Amino acid sequence: MSTTFQLDTSTSRANPTPAPMRRLTVPAIRARKQDGRTAEPLVMLTAYTARQAQLLDAHCDLLLVGDSLGQVIYGLPSTVPVTLEMMANHGAAVVRGSYHAVVVIDMPFGSYEASPEKAFESAAFLLKATGAAAVKLEGGEAMAPTIAFLSQRGIPVMGHVGLTPQAVNVLGGYGARGRSEAEAAKILADAKALDQAGAFAMVIEGVLEPIAVAVTEAVSCPTIGIGASARCDGQVLVTEDMLGMFERVPRFVKRYEDIAGVIDRTVARYAAEVRARAFPGPEQTYQPKG
Ligand code: KIV
């Protein structure tokens, strides 16, 4: 773990204790890959709320306000309907709930593809509204000019190649990418283009492992894998997936806990106690003094 303190989560964000350490920076993240090697892999998880950010912050190098919040928080069928306003509201909460990790915020579908200028306007809005340090956007070679445009104007960009969920209507699903030689070559070319355009890091999602390894070896910026390879320069998962909030998760997710089960059992106890008039008990009720 790259941190030197434990967050006291019982303390309000307004008066954090211990005194906040300095937040990691985008250049510090970029510099973790030296001469093609990252000694300690980068740790990234998604976060959508202030409390979630508080609990994750000390353990993570990066917190991603992913547009996966469309499905995870809002129950939408895909990330396509997610708006800039949704991202701004959740991004601001995550920044308020953290003071160590670099907060990266996803640019939602439709907010950046039309032109570099449109992308700048959307990204500037997100950074101003949230205090996040960087944006992430999906896409390969076609997005390279936009990444260069943003990077040269003070907006650090994380790229995202391989399986790009915002393109689900073109891809036709969420299956692993790179099964044909042409597709594998395209993913590698995409990654190289983003690297050359100035992306400070890139997510590689849902690709065959040899492609993830080839990309990681080919690009100078850190790669962050999800459904990719342990040989990437870092890893990311959707927090709710790895905590076991959902019974059905993609094959590449490791469920470290069964939080859905914990909630189910806990709420069943609460419901039983309410129905038996056993809650609230004496400890939870106020009585007249004296
Ligand atoms: O939106 C998201 O959560 C993501 C990660 C899965 C990388 O883009």
Side-chain angles (χ1 to χ4, degrees):
M1 195 166 74
S2 62
T3 52
T4 55
F5 76 103
Q6 283 296 317
L7 185 66
D8 176 359
T9 49
S10 65
T11 314
S12 119
R13 268 295 298 156
N15 299 289
T17 316
M21 67 187 294
R22 282 175 53 156
R23 203 184 271 278
L24 285 169
T25 62
V26 167
I29 297 291
R30 174 69 185 76
R32 291 273 289 274
K33 187 166 181 176
Q34 297 283 347
D35 303 323
R37 269 200 76 245
T38 304
E40 187 187 44
L42 292 162
V43 178
M44 181 159 91
L45 280 172
T46 59
Y48 314 123
T49 68
R51 181 58 176 154
Q52 195 179 28
Q54 284 182 330
L55 295 172
L56 305 181
D57 192 36
H59 302 283
C60 293
D61 301 302
L62 300 124
L63 292 177
L64 173 65
V65 188
D67 62 353
S68 50
L69 63 76
Q71 288 121 311
V72 175
I73 301 283
Y74 291 93
L76 294 167
S78 74
T79 56
V80 172
V82 172
T83 66
L84 270 177
E85 287 66 32
M86 286 177 181
M87 297 309 300
N89 288 338
H90 289 274
V94 168
V95 171
R96 284 196 291 273
S98 62
Y99 49 80
H100 164 253
V102 169
V103 177
V104 180
I105 184 160
D106 255 338
M107 298 189 68
F109 178 70
S111 72
Y112 63 94
E113 300 88 337
S115 69
E117 288 79 7
K118 166 94 173 159
F120 184 86
E121 207 178 295
S122 302
F125 167 72
L126 285 179
L127 296 197
K128 281 174 193 277
T130 65
V135 296
K136 176 166 83 58
L137 56 84
E138 297 183 7
E141 287 167 299
M143 282 300 126
T146 296
I147 291 178
F149 191 87
L150 298 186
S151 310
Q152 288 157 15
R153 287 164 179 76
I155 300 184
V157 183
M158 178 180 282
H160 185 151
V161 297
L163 172 60
T164 48
Q166 291 177 9
V168 63
N169 290 317
V170 173
L171 302 176
Y174 297 104
R177 311 298 300 163
R179 291 202 182 274
S180 73
E181 254 178 51
E183 212 172 78
K186 173 73 176 122
I187 293 167
L188 187 57
D190 284 341
K192 285 182 182 170
L194 302 196
D195 191 39
Q196 276 156 22
F200 76 91
M202 71 180 75
V203 166
I204 314 179
E205 177 166 359
V207 299
L208 303 195
E209 180 163 36
I211 301 172
V213 173
V215 167
T216 300
E217 285 171 357
V219 300
S220 60
C221 71
T223 59
I224 303 181
I226 172 164
S229 171
R231 286 166 66 187
C232 290
D233 301 303
Q235 300 295 325
V236 60
L237 282 175
V238 169
T239 300
E240 283 76 357
D241 286 348
M242 59 84 82
L243 289 178
M245 286 285 283
F246 298 102
E247 287 72 20
R248 289 188 56 198
V249 289
R251 181 174 169 277
F252 58 72
V253 172
K254 180 168 174 181
R255 294 169 92 246
Y256 285 82
E257 257 300 344
D258 174 27
I259 296 298
V262 171
I263 292 174
D264 186 51
R265 289 188 292 278
T266 308
V267 175
R269 275 173 49 214
Y270 166 74
E273 289 192 9
V274 168
R275 290 185 180 117
R277 296 196 192 283
F279 174 83
E283 302 84 14
Q284 293 95 28
T285 45
Y286 299 102
Q287 302 302 331
K289 286 208 172 95

